[in-house]
Amino acid sequence: MTLAIFDLDNTLLAGDSDHAWGEFLVEAGIVDAERYRKANDQFYQEYLNGELDIHHYLSFALEPLAQHDTAQLMQWRQQFVDQKIRPIMQDKATELLDHHRHQGHTLMIITATNHFVTEPVAELLGIEHLIATNPEQVNGRYTGRVAGTPSFQDGKVTRLQEWLDYHNASLEGAWFYSDSHNDIPLLEKVCHPVAVDPDPTLQRLAQQKGWDIISLRD
């Protein structure tokens, strides 16, 4: 198979689903607004700066999942998708996905955002294969902890290699699209790295290395 791999936030989406989930929780009154918004914004800035401690962040981000039963969480998640995700979906991203489908490529999203948040987004985009940070569940309830390696920075390479080994596949001819310098470890592993509306650090590196640079912003 030839893989066409996509980062999700600020690549296929014109925004960050993880940060948007935090905003949704605040606006719905599910979390303490002042404390949660301040921390959510701070972690997002650390991510943009390349300074994020992923385990510290995940202890914060997964806490609300552990505080509510799964049925209630699923109801909120559907509202979140309708209110926060659909408005930041991009026509050009859909066209790009269709372009790879028509070439017979296997489509995948790989994202640091947790699986609970991103699963319905991958379904909306019609992408079967999703590698995301996995929140731990015990007896059908989220614990607030992470299961396995978070798919962030080098962790994306680790998680993808596990997937490749399981499926007896390789990165031969693979594409990877991302906006973020946090994804440089994986971009350097594929045959066709593409910077999508890149941050300044990735923009400079892509120009130095001669990588394709594109925009999906409508």
Side-chain angles (χ1 to χ4, degrees), residues 130-193:
L130 169 66
I131 295 176
T133 297
N134 289 321
E136 181 186 66
Q137 287 183 284
V138 175
N139 298 323
R141 190 177 179 101
Y142 291 102
T143 67
R145 296 185 293 270
V146 178
T149 303
S151 42
F152 177 65
Q153 294 182 342
D154 288 322
K156 284 193 175 182
V157 178
T158 299
R159 292 286 306 282
L160 178 57
Q161 189 59 54
E162 292 171 353
W163 188 94
L164 293 170
D165 292 343
Y166 180 81
H167 290 274
N168 192 29
S170 76
L171 286 177
E172 183 178 353
W175 299 72
F176 179 44
Y177 295 83
S178 177
D179 72 293
S180 175
H181 66 277
N182 287 293
D183 285 336
I184 289 171
L186 183 50
L187 284 162
E188 291 181 329
K189 293 284 186 183
V190 300
C191 298
H192 304 289

Side-chain angles (χ1 to χ4, degrees), residues 106-123:
T106 298
L107 273 56
M108 171 188 288
I109 288 172
I110 185 163
T111 175
T113 302
N114 72 76
H115 193 274
F116 173 82
V117 169
T118 56
E119 180 182 33
V121 186
E123 291 175 357

Side-chain angles (χ1 to χ4, degrees), residues 18-41 59-68 72-73 76 116:
D18 218 359
H19 189 259
W21 171 247
E23 291 180 331
F24 171 82
L25 294 175
V26 167
E27 292 166 8
I30 297 166
V31 295
D32 177 80
E34 184 176 355
R35 180 189 73 85
Y36 201 91
R37 178 176 279 126
K38 182 178 180 180
N40 195 41
D41 290 347
S59 68
F60 161 79
L62 300 181
E63 182 182 16
L65 299 185
Q67 295 174 338
H68 303 278
Q72 177 64 79
L73 289 168
W76 285 334
F116 173 82

